Amino acid sequence: MRIAVACDHGGLNLKNAIISHAKAAGHEVIDFGTDAYDSCDYPDYALPAAAAVANGECERGILVCSTGIGVSIVANKVPGIRCAHCHDSYCAEYTRLHNDSNVLALGAKVVGEGYALKIVDIFLNTEFEGGRHQRRVDKITAIEKKYGK
């Protein structure tokens, strides 16, 4: 799977761990930065990564900032993105099963590295159930179209 990954300065260590972990699992990773600990603005990195998922360049995305909240807000402004801010394995599993989320947001100061990598594995390896959940995802898409997201 091709994965878009991005972070701000607060998520750099976790982003690097995710990249190594994903590559070891056989995934191709596109790194949208940042690559420095200098203070930076998370929209500058989260947006291009989310756009790469929305336009089909990547199948999924993983975004990291200190809380995961900022990057999730940015990603969810991109039409076609269903970004889930997850801090546990249950949410990671069910956002894939029921919401067909295509981007995961993590908070580096909220979830430890070991557990974050477990969340990543669940997010990447869980398939969308479809069925009645497809109807709900279609309604989300209709909302995007109505409000010109």
Side-chain angles (χ1 to χ4, degrees), residues 80-98:
I81 295 301
R82 290 175 305 283
C83 180
H85 174 218
C86 296
H87 56 273
D88 62 54
S89 56
Y90 182 85
C91 290
E93 179 181 11
Y94 278 84
T95 198
R96 287 289 309 132
L97 289 171
H98 292 183

Side-chain angles (χ1 to χ4, degrees), residues 51-105:
V53 175
N55 71 25
E57 179 184 347
C58 295
E59 295 168 73
R60 303 256 175 89
I62 302 171
L63 307 175
V64 186
C65 65
S66 293
T67 64
I69 297 168
V71 291
S72 69
I73 292 170
V74 171
N76 280 317
K77 299 296 181 187
V78 178
I81 295 301
R82 290 175 305 283
C83 180
H85 174 218
C86 296
H87 56 273
D88 62 54
S89 56
Y90 182 85
C91 290
E93 179 181 11
Y94 278 84
T95 198
R96 287 289 309 132
L97 289 171
H98 292 183
N99 310 120
D100 197 19
S101 291
N102 49 12
V103 176
L104 172 66

Side-chain angles (χ1 to χ4, degrees), residues 5-91:
V5 179
C7 70
D8 69 358
H9 56 282
L12 183 56
N13 288 337
L14 182 55
K15 181 200 77 164
N16 289 338
I18 290 168
I19 290 171
S20 295
H21 184 75
K23 286 181 177 181
H27 299 290
E28 181 181 352
V29 177
I30 308 299
D31 184 354
F32 287 87
T34 189
D35 295 322
Y37 292 103
D38 300 329
S39 181
C40 62
D41 299 331
Y42 56 82
D44 297 340
Y45 303 95
L47 179 59
V53 175
N55 71 25
E57 179 184 347
C58 295
E59 295 168 73
R60 303 256 175 89
I62 302 171
L63 307 175
V64 186
C65 65
S66 293
T67 64
I69 297 168
V71 291
S72 69
I73 292 170
V74 171
N76 280 317
K77 299 296 181 187
V78 178
I81 295 301
R82 290 175 305 283
C83 180
H85 174 218
C86 296
H87 56 273
D88 62 54
S89 56
Y90 182 85
C91 290

